[in-house]
Amino acid sequence: MSTYLADKAENLTVEGPSARFTYRRLGPQGGVPLVLLNRFRGTIDWWDPEFLDYLAADHDVILFDNVGVGYTDGEPRDSLEGFAEGAIEFIEALGLGRADLLGWSLGGIVAQRVAVRRPELVRRLVVAGSGPAGWVPGAPDFSEKVLGIMGKPDADLEDMLYLFYPATDAARAAGHEHFTHLAPRLAAGGPAVSEVAAQGMLTAAAELLAVPFDQVKAELQAIKQPVLYANGLEDVMIPAHNSYVAVQHLDNATLVLYAGAGHAFLFQFAKPFTKQVADFLAA
């Protein structure tokens, strides 16, 4: 039986212009809520409940599926602008005058675009396992293995461990624990990300790689909110190098890197990272 409060959070819905959004809300309400934006091929079932419980101990935490993803209906988006529009629609549909955003992976890129497009909606940003919206000089190319797994509609446990955790005993043990945490929600048989939605995400990611760095710098410089950038030093998906470059072009940024961790550092080091987030949001 689950010991996580996040596993008991009910699915809620709210109507937006493009979709009926499905979301979950945890923790004490009041103040500025923290809205979570998910990764490539992720739905609300894929957030680690231990991580969510730590975040929601003293924060109003909201996680949702974007338009056409998982539990949310509507036409899937295939561009960064489309994902940002969906996030803005959701925030406005809930009637949130202002929110903090925590975006993981693709969600981190979307969160930054939301902050640029609608700065009045965003108080603070947490960008986890992610990078700026475009090509970063000096960044290594995606390996063939990473690209192959990303293209799979049925990636298995070993594939996911490779993408998210370094190949050390400690990291792999943390990875197995993470997927054990996810098991109750995933076993309930909620909707996966459709191949149409996944292909839209891949299309958006490919377009971002063609964005010149001058444009990337301009977008980063347009973000005036405080930003916490964080990553694992051994991320094979979005290298820590991208985080290091990004903070050099932000007005008010903090960079935190976790040794011995990869793309899923936020679950591998859930307790210290959520403490870092809480301190940042309270500053």
Side-chain angles (χ1 to χ4, degrees):
M1 194 167 215
S2 171
T3 59
Y4 299 110
L5 293 175
D7 280 341
K8 301 175 183 177
E10 297 181 356
N11 288 354
L12 306 170
T13 60
V14 65
E15 293 288 344
S18 301
R20 174 178 293 175
F21 291 92
T22 297
Y23 69 100
R24 296 176 187 145
R25 195 164 190 171
L26 307 86
Q29 295 189 26
V32 180
L34 176 63
V35 177
L36 273 54
L37 291 87
N38 214 339
R39 62 168 174 87
F40 171 72
R41 287 193 189 272
T43 74
I44 53 176
D45 287 339
W46 285 91
W47 288 106
D48 191 304
E50 179 184 55
F51 171 78
L52 295 176
D53 276 12
Y54 285 141
L55 275 183
D58 53 8
H59 281 92
D60 181 4
V61 175
I62 302 169
L63 47 150
F64 76 106
D65 281 340
N66 212 326
V67 179
V69 174
Y71 292 86
T72 295
D73 63 13
E75 189 69 26
R77 307 298 173 88
D78 62 0
S79 68
L80 177 58
E81 289 301 326
F83 299 136
E85 286 169 5
I88 292 166
E89 283 187 19
F90 172 71
I91 292 168
E92 291 185 330
L94 280 187
L96 304 180
R98 214 166 185 210
D100 295 323
L101 303 183
L102 186 158
W104 176 32
S105 193
L106 176 61
I109 300 172
V110 176
Q112 290 170 98
R113 180 57 57 88
V114 172
V116 170
R117 287 191 49 177
R118 295 293 301 278
E120 76 282 3
L121 286 181
V122 181
R123 188 185 71 116
R124 286 175 174 254
L125 278 170
V126 180
V127 180
S130 190
W135 174 77
V136 176
D141 293 332
F142 282 115
S143 72
E144 288 299 320
K145 185 169 182 177
V146 168
L147 289 172
I149 295 172
M150 288 177 65
K152 282 186 178 182
D154 55 351
D156 61 21
L157 177 59
E158 283 301 315
D159 290 331
M160 301 295 280
L161 286 171
Y162 177 80
L163 291 183
F164 291 166
Y165 294 90
T168 64
D169 290 344
R172 283 181 62 85
H176 281 285
E177 185 176 357
H178 164 59
F179 287 104
T180 299
H181 293 170
L182 298 178
R185 284 288 193 188
L186 296 179
V193 175
S194 71
E195 274 310 293
V196 173
Q199 288 303 314
M201 295 175 187
L202 284 171
T203 298
E207 289 178 352
L208 288 175
L209 292 175
V211 175
F213 190 61
D214 283 348
Q215 186 174 326
V216 172
K217 286 193 295 184
E219 175 146 329
L220 290 168
Q221 290 161 358
I223 297 173
K224 302 305 180 185
Q225 298 91 337
V227 184
L228 173 63
Y229 246 91
N231 210 335
L233 275 172
E234 298 181 50
D235 192 335
V236 300
M237 295 280 288
I238 303 179
H241 170 85
N242 292 19
S243 299
Y244 178 75
V245 171
V247 298
Q248 296 177 57
H249 302 284
L250 290 163
D251 277 2
N252 185 357
T254 300
L255 174 62
V256 180
L257 299 175
Y258 287 83
H263 201 56
F265 77 91
L266 64 171
F267 307 136
Q268 184 176 347
F269 293 102
K271 195 166 188 176
F273 178 60
T274 52
K275 173 66 164 57
Q276 188 91 38
V277 171
D279 291 345
F280 169 72
L281 296 180

